[in-house]
């Protein structure tokens, strides 16, 4: 494994996968069988959301991040074709594998950097939704739970984002997150302050 500077919250590392191989017991990376992988190792200097990406590499690649010290007993914490965002734990060592999709090889550029807090992390900065129908594609990586925030759907979560919606007509509004890749909860409120909300509805996915 190439070692990434343990005190660096952001940076990049270079490698070449031409001539690389897979190892016995190596897992599939992002669903692709290991064929020509290279590995990096990074110790998180802080607890925060971090983005890893391989933009700038010159071949079709996959990316996966694991914890664990033995190849046959790794725990995958994230995978993607080009980039992924993770909530990392201070002091934890992460093993990062980059491989070619379908056996492709080339020059790897691996970058990592803290993920900014979402702009609608706090109630006061809720993102406005307009129209009678629509969709948004946000992220909760880097999101926090502010003081006085209610326990949404009783889930005890700590990475919420907020939206505001002014109904254009009377009727029934349906909101859902069923295509999201993690287990979500939803809650809808009326009120103008985070500590003075009245719950209107709650559910797991819609």
């Amino acid at each position: 494994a190439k070692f990434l500077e343990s005190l660096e919250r952001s940076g990049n590392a270079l490698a070449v996968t031409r001539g690389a191989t897979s190892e016995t017991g190596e897992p599939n990376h992002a669903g692709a069988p290991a064929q020509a992988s290279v590995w990096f190792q990074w110790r998180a200097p802080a607890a925060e959301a971090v983005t890893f990406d391989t933009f700038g590499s010159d071949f079709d690649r996959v990316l996966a991040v694991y914890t664990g010290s033995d190849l046959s007993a790794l725990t995958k914490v994230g995978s993607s074709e080009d980039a992924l965002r993770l909530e990392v734990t201070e002091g934890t060592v992460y093993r990062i594998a980059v491989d070619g999709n379908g056996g492709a090889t080339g020059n790897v550029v691996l970058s990592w950097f803290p993920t900014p807090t979402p702009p609608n992390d706090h109630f006061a900065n809720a993102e406005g939704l307009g129209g009678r129908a629509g969709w948004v594609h946000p992220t909760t990586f880097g999101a926090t739970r502010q003081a006085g925030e209610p326990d949404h759907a009783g889930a005890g979560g700590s990475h919420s984002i907020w939206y505001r919606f002014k109904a254009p007509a009377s009727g029934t509004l349906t909101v859902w997150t069923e295509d999201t890749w993690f287990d979500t909860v939803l809650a809808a409120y009326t009120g103008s302050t985070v500590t003075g909300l009245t719950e209107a509805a709650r559910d797991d996915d819609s």
Side-chain angles (χ1 to χ4, degrees), residues 60-151:
D60 189 12
R61 66 273 172 198
V62 291
L63 168 71
V65 179
Y66 305 87
T67 57
S69 57
D70 187 278
L71 183 67
S72 62
L74 296 174
T75 299
K76 184 171 69 175
V77 294
S79 64
S80 180
E81 288 198 357
D82 298 307
L84 59 90
R85 286 169 288 193
L86 302 171
E87 297 282 349
V88 300
T89 302
E90 182 178 357
T92 297
V93 174
Y94 294 88
R95 326 282 178 168
I96 304 121
V98 180
D99 203 341
N101 205 349
T105 60
N107 299 303
V108 176
V109 179
L110 174 66
S111 302
W112 69 100
F113 48 89
T115 303
T117 299
N120 57 337
D121 180 35
H122 282 187
F123 174 84
N125 298 323
E127 179 181 339
L129 302 175
R132 295 172 62 90
W135 64 277
V136 291
H137 188 203
T139 179
T140 60
F141 284 112
T144 61
R145 182 172 184 163
Q146 66 189 104
E149 184 171 340
D151 187 3

Side-chain angles (χ1 to χ4, degrees), residues 136-178:
V136 291
H137 188 203
T139 179
T140 60
F141 284 112
T144 61
R145 182 172 184 163
Q146 66 189 104
E149 184 171 340
D151 187 3
H152 310 298
S158 57
H159 301 286
S160 60
I161 52 177
W162 290 87
Y163 296 90
R164 66 180 186 276
F165 177 78
K166 186 174 183 178
S170 298
T172 300
L173 174 71
T174 300
V175 182
W176 69 92
T177 56
E178 291 171 353

